[in-house]
Amino acid sequence: MADDRVWLTAEDVAEIVTILDGSPFNQLDLRTTRFRLRVAREQAGEAAGEWSQAWDWADGAALPGAAASVAVVAATSAEDTSDGLVRVAAALPGTFYRAPQPGAPAFVEPGDTVTAETVVGIVETMKLMNPVHAGVAGTVDSIPAANSVMVAAGTALVRIRPA
Amino acid sequence: MIRRLFIANRGEIAVRVLRTAQRLGITTIAGVSAADRHSLVAKLADEVALIGPAPSSESYLNVGAVTAAAVAARADAVHPGYGFLSENASFAQALAAAGITFVGPSLESLAAMGDKLRARSVAMEAGLPVVPGGEAATREQARERAAITGYPLLIKAVAGGGGRGMKRVDDPAQLESQIDLAMAEALAAFGDSRIYVERFVARGRHVEVQVLGDGQRAIHLGSRDCSIQRRFQKLVEEAPAPGIPADRHAALLSAAVRLAEHLGYRGAGTVEFLVDAETFDFFFLEMNVRLQVEHPVTEAITGIDLVEQQLLVADGLPLGWRQDQIVLRGHAMEVRLNAEDWQQGFRPSPGQVKSAHWPAGPGVRVDSHLTGPGEVPPYYDSLAGKLIVYGVDRAAALARLVTALPTIELEGLATTRDLHRRIAADARFVAGGVDTRFFDGFLEQPARG
C-alpha cells in the first residue's frame, strides 16, 4: 500500500543534488527494496560537471511471465543468400503488411517482376507506415514473412531473384 | 471517494498519474498491454491488469477491453491520461454504465468539444473570437464577408482542397478581381463557384490556456506557448507564453475561462488559440478536454498538481483553488525527447534502453517511464520522456535547459536530444515569441551556437 512506499519527487532529487553540490562527493548510490538511484556528477564529455540521475526499479506487482522482448517476437530468417537470392529485410522492428489495406491485393506476389523502386510491403513502426522497397530489380521468389505480424529489424520479408 | 484508480494509459503519463494517486493514498491499478507488462508503471503500481495484446487497437484503444479490465479490477475510477480513450465519449459512457467514475469532463462537454464545427459554434456562443470567415455564394456576399474579416484575407473554394482556387488578398483594392478569379477557378475546378472568405494570419502562434473547473466554477492557470511544432506535433512548450502585451494576455486568459464556464466544465482542460504574432489578435481553435502532454510547465509556474485537481473534481468535490489564489511565478520550458533519429527524417527508433541518464538538480523535472533500463516498443508513439526546466525568468529557464540537455543519455536509442540543443541555441528561440513557421527550413540551416 501507499504508506510503505518511499517516493522521491523531483524536488527531493533536486535537494540531494544541492547537498552533494556543496560537498566533496561526486556520487550518491541509494538502494531500497524498491529502487536504486544513482546521482552523479558527470566526469567527462560535454556534460562534465552537470549532475545526472539514473534509476533501476524492482519488479513490484508486475505480471508474471517472461519479459517479452519485442525485438524477438518474430522469428528472424537468417538464411544464407548463397542461392543467389537477395533478401529484403525490415529496417526497423514493426508490423509487416503485404497489402496497403485489409482486403486489398498484395503489393507483390511470387513471380512478379520488380524494380528497385517497387514497394513490396509496409512496416508499421510507432504509428508510422514505412514503405519497403525492393531495392533491386528482379523477380519475387518468395515472401517468407507472414502478413500482419510483428517482425524484428533484419527479418527477411521478401526474397528476390535479381534480374 | 476514489480508492482504487485504474490507469488506462502507458508510458510517461501513466507513471505521472500513478505518482500523484499513490501520494494521495489511492490504490493504483496499471492497465497494461502485453508489450508493457514490464514497463515502469507495471513495476510501480499496486496492482497490474492486462488489457489485451500489444497493438493499441486491441488494448489501449479498445473500449470494451479497457472497461472490462477496470470492472474486473474493482476500480472505482479510471484515469485515461492523454490520447487513446481520453476524449472518447463512448468510453466515458461505458464506464458510467459500469458505475465507474471517468476522470474527465461530462459527456456533454466531450460531445460539445469533440466536433470541430460544433466546438466553433459553442465558442462563439460563449463570446470567443474565432478565425473570422464564412461562405459566400455571390460577389456581393463575398464583399460583405471581407468587410467583416478584415485584411489580409484568404479566398478559398468551398468545394476545394489542396490549395486550388485559393487567393490571398492583402489590399481591398484587389478584392473584386480576386473574387472573380477565385469564383471562376472554383467553378472550373470543382463545378461549384461558391467561395469561402477567411481572415489570413500570416504569422500565427499556438498559445493555449490551462483551465480547471468543478462544474460550477472555472479558473485558469495561465498560458502556454507551443509554437515550435513539426508537422503539427509539438516539440517544445513553455509557460507563460512570452512577449504578449499584458492586456491581450489577460483577454486571452479570461476568454478561456468564459468558455469553461459556458460549458459548466468539470476537470482539467486546455483552450487552444491562434495568436497573430504581429497584432496579438487571438482566435479560438479548439479545446482539449483532458490532461495535456505539456501540463508540467503549468505545474512548474503555479505549484499546482493538475492530476490531484482532476481526481478531486472527478470525486464531485469543489476546486481546491480560487482564481485570486493562483500566482504565476517564474518561467518553465519542456522539451519532448522522442525516440526518433531526427537526422534521418525523424525515423522511429524503438528498441531496448540499456541505461538511462537524465539531468538532476534544482529546477529540473524529468517525466519519463525510461528512467532506467527499459524498452520502447514499436507499437506506440515515440515519446521517451520530457525534460522540464524552471527558472525565475525565461533567461534562467533557458540557461538551465542548455546545461541540462547534454546530460541526457538513453543508451540504445536515437533521440531528439541534439535537435533540442539546436533549438535552444537558435537566436529566434532565445529571443522568444516565435511563430509556428519556426521549424520550416530549420533543419536546412547551418547549426548555430
Side-chain angles (χ1 to χ4, degrees):
Chain A
M1 291 307 296
D3 23 292
D4 61 12
R5 304 224 129 83
V6 185
W7 266 129
L8 286 181
T9 63
E11 289 75 26
D12 296 331
V13 175
E15 209 165 316
I16 291 170
V17 169
T18 306
I19 294 166
L20 287 175
D21 216 18
S23 82
F25 299 104
N26 282 320
Q27 193 171 327
L28 172 84
D29 201 328
L30 183 65
R31 283 169 197 257
T32 71
T33 51
R34 304 195 66 227
F35 64 81
R36 177 179 181 190
L37 166 65
R38 272 157 295 187
V39 176
R41 199 197 303 262
E42 298 287 317
Q43 297 299 312
E46 288 181 286
E50 297 297 322
W51 291 90
S52 72
Q53 52 180 317
W55 298 74
D56 258 312
W57 291 90
D59 247 354
L63 291 173
S69 175
V70 174
V72 294
V73 168
T76 302
S77 167
E79 277 163 74
D80 202 329
T81 52
S82 55
D83 49 8
L85 298 178
V86 173
R87 291 188 328 161
V88 182
L92 292 167
T95 308
F96 174 64
Y97 295 105
R98 287 193 53 195
Q101 52 190 305
F107 289 107
V108 291
E109 295 288 357
D112 285 0
T113 304
V114 296
T115 70
E117 292 307 309
T118 304
V119 173
V120 297
I122 291 174
V123 173
E124 181 191 358
T125 304
M126 302 171 96
K127 295 180 175 177
L128 291 177
M129 299 291 178
N130 304 290
V132 180
H133 298 274
V136 61
T139 313
V140 176
D141 175 81
S142 55
I143 304 173
N147 186 45
S148 193
V149 301
M150 193 67 203
V151 296
T155 303
L157 305 172
V158 176
R159 290 199 198 88
I160 294 172
R161 184 167 300 283
Chain B
M1 199 181 144
I2 298 174
R3 290 199 173 82
R4 295 175 60 78
L5 180 70
F6 188 96
I7 301 170
N9 214 300
R10 63 174 309 280
E12 66 87 17
I13 196 61
V15 176
R16 159 74 193 90
V17 170
L18 177 131
R19 285 209 154 210
T20 290
Q22 288 191 339
R23 181 170 61 72
L24 298 174
I26 296 170
T27 300
T28 53
I29 306 142
V32 297
S33 75
D36 285 331
R37 285 188 304 180
H38 300 272
S39 64
L40 182 56
V41 73
K43 291 178 178 175
L44 299 180
D46 299 278
E47 296 170 26
V48 182
L50 188 65
I51 303 173
S56 330
S57 56
E58 295 170 52
S59 50
Y60 300 108
L61 279 172
N62 186 324
V63 171
V66 177
T67 308
V71 169
R74 293 175 293 111
D76 44 32
V78 171
H79 196 301
Y82 50 65
F84 293 129
L85 298 177
S86 61
E87 295 180 283
N88 187 306
S90 41
F91 180 53
Q93 237 157 356
L95 290 177
I100 296 174
T101 300
F102 174 65
V103 182
S106 65
L107 283 171
E108 292 72 30
S109 295
L110 282 169
M113 293 294 117
D115 171 294
K116 295 272 145 70
L117 278 176
R118 187 145 168 231
R120 180 182 160 104
S121 66
V122 171
M124 287 168 77
E125 276 166 38
L128 270 67
V130 296
V131 179
E135 216 179 285
T138 62
R139 283 176 66 172
E140 290 64 41
Q141 283 179 8
R143 267 201 303 271
E144 284 163 25
R145 285 283 179 200
I148 301 166
T149 58
Y151 295 85
L153 59 82
L154 274 184
I155 304 175
K156 299 173 178 175
V158 168
R164 299 224 28 205
M166 207 187 280
K167 305 279 167 212
R168 177 177 164 177
V169 185
D170 293 315
D171 180 346
Q174 307 167 339
L175 183 66
E176 297 283 330
S177 61
Q178 292 298 314
I179 290 173
D180 289 347
L181 217 75
M183 289 186 129
E185 281 188 17
L187 186 66
F190 309 108
D192 179 350
S193 68
R194 285 177 307 148
I195 55 173
Y196 190 95
V197 179
E198 184 182 275
R199 171 76 164 271
F200 177 67
V201 178
R203 292 186 50 216
R205 288 171 59 180
H206 179 115
V207 178
E208 58 188 33
V209 178
Q210 178 70 54
V211 294
L212 272 178
D214 59 15
Q216 308 294 321
R217 286 188 312 121
I219 60 172
H220 72 76
L221 300 184
S223 64
R224 294 187 289 256
D225 194 311
C226 313
S227 298
I228 299 189
Q229 306 182 357
R230 172 180 175 267
R231 298 190 181 165
F232 303 106
Q233 298 298 308
K234 297 167 185 170
L235 292 169
V236 180
E237 300 100 347
E238 58 183 300
I244 298 179
D247 61 326
R248 301 311 293 156
H249 194 247
L252 188 81
L253 297 174
S254 58
V257 172
R258 219 156 54 233
L259 178 60
E261 280 177 344
H262 180 76
L263 287 168
Y265 193 73
R266 191 196 65 219
T270 296
V271 185
E272 297 190 340
F273 294 96
L274 172 67
V275 175
D276 189 312
E278 279 148 18
T279 63
F280 300 102
D281 287 337
F282 59 84
F283 310 101
F284 168 81
L285 288 177
E286 61 176 315
M287 180 171 182
N288 296 315
V289 293
R290 54 170 166 85
L291 199 63
Q292 303 259 117
V293 177
E294 59 272 25
H295 77 277
V297 291
T298 296
E299 295 184 325
I301 63 162
T302 58
I304 290 172
D305 182 332
L306 282 166
V307 174
E308 182 177 350
Q309 295 300 312
Q310 281 189 301
L311 293 171
L312 202 75
V313 298
D315 239 347
L317 295 168
L319 275 182
W321 301 91
R322 292 192 317 266
Q323 189 67 63
D324 60 11
Q325 293 172 314
I326 306 298
V327 183
L328 308 178
R329 195 175 279 131
H331 200 94
M333 293 177 174
E334 173 185 282
V335 297
R336 301 188 186 192
L337 264 289
N338 292 334
E340 290 169 5
D341 190 342
W342 63 279
Q343 286 167 312
Q344 300 293 325
F346 289 80
R347 190 165 106 150
S349 175
Q352 300 286 336
V353 180
K354 293 183 197 72
S355 71
H357 281 244
W358 291 90
V364 172
R365 167 176 167 180
V366 174
D367 277 19
S368 174
H369 54 301
L370 299 167
T371 52
E375 180 174 24
V376 176
Y379 303 98
Y380 315 109
D381 73 30
S382 62
L383 185 62
K386 309 179 303 203
L387 168 65
I388 302 102
V389 293
Y390 174 80
V392 292
D393 55 24
R394 192 171 186 275
L398 181 60
R400 200 154 266 163
L401 179 66
V402 169
T403 54
L405 275 169
T407 313
I408 301 174
E409 197 62 65
L410 299 179
E411 196 191 343
L413 293 184
T415 74
T416 49
R417 180 195 74 171
D418 290 345
L419 171 68
H420 287 302
R421 294 182 68 189
R422 255 176 85 170
I423 293 172
D426 187 283
R428 295 172 298 162
F429 180 67
V430 172
V434 300
D435 63 68
T436 51
R437 298 173 315 170
F438 176 87
F439 206 74
D440 299 346
F442 179 77
L443 297 177
E444 287 75 49
Q445 299 159 15
R448 279 180 254 172

